[in-house]
Amino acid sequence: MPGLVAFGRRWEIGSDDLVLPCLVESFTRMLWFFVTVVIWMYHAPYLNCEDGQILQMYLGGVLFILIIILMANTFLIKHSMRGAIMDVRARKHVPTILYIRIILGVPEIAWTVVGSVGVFKPNDSCIHSEMTLRVVQGLVIFNWILVSFFLVGVMLVFDPLGHHYTSSQGTDTVDARSPLEVGFEQRTRIWEWRCKFLCCSCCACCSRSGDNTSVNDAFSDVAEVLTTLFHDLDLVPSDIAAGLLLLHLRTKRGREEVRLRRMSNQIRRPITEPPPVMRSHEAYDWMNPFTAHVYMKYALGSYGWMWYLAGGCWKGLCTLKKELVCFSCFRQMDDNCCHCNLAALKTVTQLEEKDIVCVSFHNSIYEVPYFVALDHQTSSVVVAIRGTLSGHDALTDLAAMTDPISVEGLPVGWTAHRGMLQSANFVLRQLESKEILKRTFMQYPNYHLVITGHSLGAGAAVLLSILLKPSYPKVRCFSFSPPGGLLSLAAARFTETFCMSVIIGDDLVPRLSLSTLDLLKRQMIAELEACRHPKYRIFLRGCWEVVFGRPGSYQQPETTHPLLSETPNNNLEQPPRFQSPSNRSCSVDVTQQLYLPGRILQVEEREPVDSGTYMHPTMYEARWMQREDYNQILVTPRMLKDHTPDSVCRVLQGLSAQYESSLSAVETHEG
């Protein structure tokens, strides 16, 4: 629903968002009411002097204010619970009650000031019980804590551009300019400030970068992308959370219908039969799970010690200890004095120090860590690029405009994700300026070039492969969980001959692009408009089902989920609830389609039909997919977990073992 309009401005909270905060506040104040009564009754004999009478008057005033506030909160909760999310008229009295509640905060603050003066005055008090005085002082301090929480809540829901949103209800004239149009430039500047804050201050970031202009341009690019995505969406954060929850329930419901339909048709496989990797005549022999797992270790090793310790602090410290070298002179940049990142790299990849040609942990906007190593088992020179691990990397991801790919000998007109193309160019400049690949291949002329990476590193690896393709025609690329909005269609098809992409489960990032985010936004609004339940019920029941599952009363496929409309709102061709201004200057086109690179291998953890009946290891199912299969974001609890490099490495390890056993079984059968 649109944000609450009060005091002539819009706030980042809806009129139906006050249920839970008011319930929590009412419970706290009710508890504090009884505590105050008990303390007053217990210490009343010690408050017979003049100062004690003042304190008794203060306590009586506190109890009276608590009763009035509890009554106001009751009315506020009652009216905030009315109507569905988009039914704003059902809650038309909420602003008026909210005004009354805020006015009641003024005497509360004034009375707390009076109590503070009376309890903490420097002169001697006639109250002889030290304990009584300390208890009353504690009451005053707690009242100040309640007031502070209220002020912090106001700051959290404050919209810096809320004054641009005006309500036209009750007026005969409407401003010709949309408030969204008026605030576009201001909102862009706010997003730019937030991006700079994410980098721990603009000065620190710029001081580490060689080109301050490019850094400032990056901030502007990211701010424009974020403003374009959210500027035409008049929803508060809780509306977005409710919409995502409804989309998750819709996705879960669809999957359960498919599963129950398969059970009813008795489409089953023996649990002992491992599903082989479904092959495609278009895939090359080296595009297999075993080879992918080998190079995924390099992509995982590029993340360094912080991610390595995240998998298990004590175990990680013990294994890293033997690789730590203090104040050594190794061929690397921007590591700490003990070379913790290098130690984690060697531990994960099991590389010897002599096989690491070059490593750089330098990180800034458009500048990603990478390393070059020798893999003697596969006779390859491996370039591994790190994925997203810092605020700089996040800004590189968000720089989602497109830039042309300029490579001599390749067709013109290809475009790619700006941030990742800049990162690939950074690695290319580093490799060329130090002649790393040239010197390495002079020493190992029979080796071939392999470029790999995960997430942001996957996108940069693909683009680096394209840039190096004229010089190294036999280059191969393994991209793990690559971003969806990476390449134009022609460039994506070009990479099918030398790039293998691996995607695990419901991974969000391969389905993430400006166009899919725009589609998700429209789907979310459609679900919110179709839902006839209040927001608090969506959160209570929806979160319960996400954690504990659904009751058995509506497990059949033909049964409609209580929180969902009977049929999903598929009218997604209609524009969003609020349109972006058409006359503003913006270089971001959310309708432009960018695609995944290479041949795409989708890997799923296989769930048996009767999981409780059999003792079995985890099984995996892999199949070759088309890039058009990833044109929609799946909202599931695993959408982030399936993207982590640990999950990708674990699944590939299990799949490669299953793949080898399948090949062995085939060879034994043929023999």
Side-chain angles (χ1 to χ4, degrees):
M1 60 158 292
L4 177 67
V5 177
F7 300 102
R9 64 180 305 118
R10 178 189 181 274
W11 299 81
E12 289 289 349
I13 190 173
S15 59
D16 55 353
D17 287 333
L18 303 174
V19 177
L20 182 59
C22 288
L23 281 175
V24 173
E25 183 192 9
S26 298
F27 176 79
T28 305
R29 290 186 179 275
M30 190 176 299
L31 183 64
W32 195 239
F33 177 86
F34 289 112
V35 170
T36 305
V37 171
V38 171
I39 291 176
W40 190 3
M41 294 176 62
Y42 181 81
H43 294 277
Y46 305 101
L47 301 175
N48 293 326
C49 62
E50 181 180 355
D51 291 338
Q53 292 177 356
I54 295 176
L55 291 181
Q56 290 193 67
M57 183 177 64
Y58 166 73
L59 293 176
V62 169
L63 294 178
F64 177 76
I65 292 175
L66 285 174
I67 293 175
I68 299 299
I69 290 178
L70 285 172
M71 293 174 60
N73 283 350
T74 302
F75 283 102
L76 200 55
I77 293 171
K78 179 181 178 181
H79 285 269
S80 185
M81 294 172 65
R82 293 180 175 177
I85 294 179
M86 294 297 184
D87 188 9
V88 184
R89 292 186 177 275
R91 299 180 293 274
K92 61 182 179 180
H93 297 300
V94 168
T96 303
I97 303 175
L98 188 61
Y99 291 149
I100 297 174
R101 172 61 186 88
I102 294 175
I103 292 174
L104 291 175
V106 176
E108 182 183 21
I109 295 176
W111 201 247
T112 305
V113 172
V114 172
S116 302
V117 174
V119 173
F120 294 98
K121 61 181 180 179
N123 58 322
D124 295 335
S125 174
C126 67
I127 301 176
H128 300 291
S129 175
E130 186 72 17
M131 180 180 177
T132 300
L133 186 61
R134 294 291 177 261
V135 169
V136 177
Q137 288 176 347
L139 291 174
V140 175
I141 293 174
F142 188 80
N143 283 335
W144 277 118
I145 293 175
L146 290 178
V147 173
S148 300
F149 276 125
F150 175 77
L151 296 177
V152 170
V154 172
M155 293 175 59
L156 290 176
V157 300
F158 179 78
D159 185 356
L161 297 178
H163 60 282
H164 288 300
Y165 294 81
T166 56
S167 177
S168 61
Q169 295 181 2
T171 61
D172 296 329
T173 60
V174 179
D175 188 358
R177 295 186 303 168
S178 167
L180 296 168
E181 180 180 350
V182 174
F184 184 85
E185 293 183 0
Q186 293 91 329
R187 195 167 293 275
T188 302
R189 287 196 294 267
I190 290 176
W191 276 113
E192 186 171 349
W193 179 87
R194 290 169 179 169
C195 294
K196 293 178 180 178
F197 180 78
L198 179 64
C199 282
C200 304
S201 86
C202 177
C203 295
C205 177
C206 293
S207 64
R208 292 192 296 266
S209 177
D211 188 358
N212 293 347
T213 303
S214 63
V215 172
N216 292 329
D217 290 342
F219 285 135
S220 301
D221 293 343
V222 173
E224 190 171 355
V225 169
L226 294 173
T227 306
T228 303
L229 285 174
F230 300 110
H231 186 67
D232 59 347
L233 191 65
D234 189 12
L235 297 177
V236 297
S238 62
D239 295 334
I240 298 176
L244 293 176
L245 182 57
L246 291 173
L247 287 175
H248 162 63
L249 294 176
R250 178 76 66 185
T251 302
K252 184 179 180 181
R253 182 58 179 168
R255 289 183 172 180
E256 287 182 353
E257 289 179 355
V258 173
R259 183 178 64 86
L260 293 174
R261 194 174 297 113
R262 287 179 178 176
M263 290 180 61
S264 63
N265 296 332
Q266 295 186 358
I267 303 178
R268 303 188 180 190
R269 277 183 178 177
I271 298 300
T272 56
E273 176 190 347
V277 178
M278 298 175 63
R279 298 307 302 261
S280 169
H281 67 281
E282 297 179 344
Y284 295 89
D285 291 336
W286 57 268
M287 295 183 179
N288 59 73
F290 177 79
T291 308
H293 178 244
V294 171
Y295 293 112
M296 179 59 207
K297 293 181 180 179
Y298 289 90
L300 180 60
S302 65
Y303 278 90
W305 69 273
M306 293 183 64
W307 189 268
Y308 184 76
L309 293 184
C313 183
W314 294 112
K315 180 181 178 181
L317 287 174
C318 293
T319 53
L320 282 183
K321 183 178 179 181
K322 62 181 180 180
E323 298 290 350
L324 296 177
V325 181
C326 292
F327 303 103
S328 68
C329 298
F330 190 75
R331 304 175 303 278
Q332 53 85 34
M333 299 180 293
D334 288 295
D335 202 355
N336 52 36
C337 63
C338 294
H339 292 177
C340 294
N341 287 312
L342 180 62
L345 189 158
K346 293 165 65 177
T347 302
V348 173
T349 60
Q350 298 296 310
L351 286 170
E352 299 291 337
E353 186 169 319
K354 60 183 179 63
D355 293 328
I356 302 177
V357 179
C358 177
V359 56
S360 169
F361 296 107
H362 171 75
N363 187 212
S364 186
I365 301 176
Y366 300 157
E367 298 175 0
V368 292
Y370 70 95
F371 71 91
V372 182
L374 299 173
D375 190 320
H376 298 294
Q377 292 184 348
T378 60
S379 299
S380 59
V381 178
V382 182
V383 180
I385 305 176
R386 197 191 76 182
T388 303
L389 195 62
S390 67
H392 298 123
D393 298 330
L395 293 176
T396 301
D397 292 327
L398 291 172
M401 290 91 150
T402 58
D403 280 345
I405 303 175
S406 300
V407 182
E408 186 177 353
L410 296 180
V412 297
W414 292 356
T415 58
H417 184 286
R418 173 176 296 177
M420 296 178 191
L421 182 58
Q422 296 272 20
S423 299
N425 280 315
F426 165 75
V427 177
L428 179 63
R429 290 193 300 269
Q430 295 287 312
L431 296 176
E432 291 180 343
S433 63
K434 301 173 184 178
E435 297 185 341
I436 296 173
L437 295 181
K438 180 179 179 180
R439 290 187 286 105
T440 304
F441 279 108
M442 288 179 61
Q443 188 175 358
Y444 299 93
N446 295 326
Y447 280 31
H448 61 276
L449 178 62
V450 175
I451 305 177
T452 184
H454 171 266
S455 188
L456 164 63
V462 172
L463 292 169
L464 179 62
S465 301
I466 295 176
L467 298 176
L468 289 174
K469 184 69 173 174
S471 302
Y472 300 91
K474 296 183 179 181
V475 62
R476 295 176 181 176
C477 179
F478 290 86
S479 64
F480 303 97
S481 305
L486 182 63
L487 292 168
S488 58
L489 183 58
R493 288 174 175 170
F494 173 75
T495 61
E496 292 178 355
T497 59
F498 61 89
C499 176
M500 175 185 181
S501 295
V502 179
I503 299 172
I504 307 299
D506 297 333
D507 192 348
L508 166 68
V509 173
R511 299 171 171 86
L512 191 63
S513 65
L514 292 180
S515 59
T516 57
L517 278 175
D518 185 65
L519 176 62
L520 177 69
K521 181 170 62 176
R522 287 180 282 153
Q523 290 176 327
M524 184 174 58
I525 293 176
E527 289 289 354
L528 291 175
E529 291 179 340
C531 182
R532 310 281 16 120
H533 297 277
K535 189 185 299 181
Y536 77 92
R537 186 176 300 173
I538 294 175
F539 283 131
L540 290 178
R541 189 162 193 170
C543 293
W544 177 273
E545 293 179 10
V546 169
V547 177
F548 300 104
R550 297 184 297 145
S553 58
Y554 49 94
Q555 286 287 344
Q556 297 302 319
E558 64 271 9
T559 305
T560 303
H561 193 289
L563 293 180
L564 300 175
S565 59
E566 294 190 6
T567 55
N569 191 340
N570 294 321
N571 190 21
L572 299 179
E573 297 301 324
Q574 296 297 325
R577 190 175 178 86
F578 297 93
Q579 283 295 314
S580 300
S582 57
N583 59 345
R584 60 176 173 83
S585 175
C586 179
S587 59
V588 182
D589 183 9
V590 296
T591 62
Q592 184 178 8
Q593 293 280 349
L594 294 178
Y595 299 90
L596 286 166
R599 307 290 183 196
I600 305 169
L601 183 67
Q602 174 75 33
V603 185
E604 304 279 355
E605 293 192 43
R606 182 183 174 196
E607 295 184 2
V609 177
D610 298 325
S611 58
T613 309
Y614 300 90
M615 296 296 294
H616 60 87
T618 303
M619 307 298 289
Y620 302 94
E621 182 177 357
R623 59 189 183 275
W624 296 101
M625 305 291 288
Q626 300 296 323
R627 55 182 57 90
E628 290 78 13
D629 297 324
Y630 299 89
N631 57 4
Q632 182 175 337
I633 295 175
L634 300 178
V635 183
T636 69
R638 297 188 59 89
M639 60 193 296
L640 296 179
K641 184 179 180 181
D642 286 341
H643 182 69
T644 60
D646 299 82
S647 297
V648 177
C649 195
R650 174 184 59 82
V651 171
L652 280 176
Q653 182 178 6
L655 179 63
S656 60
Q658 180 178 299
Y659 178 75
E660 285 187 316
S661 64
S662 299
L663 292 180
S664 300
V666 171
E667 292 175 357
T668 303
H669 178 72
E670 292 177 352

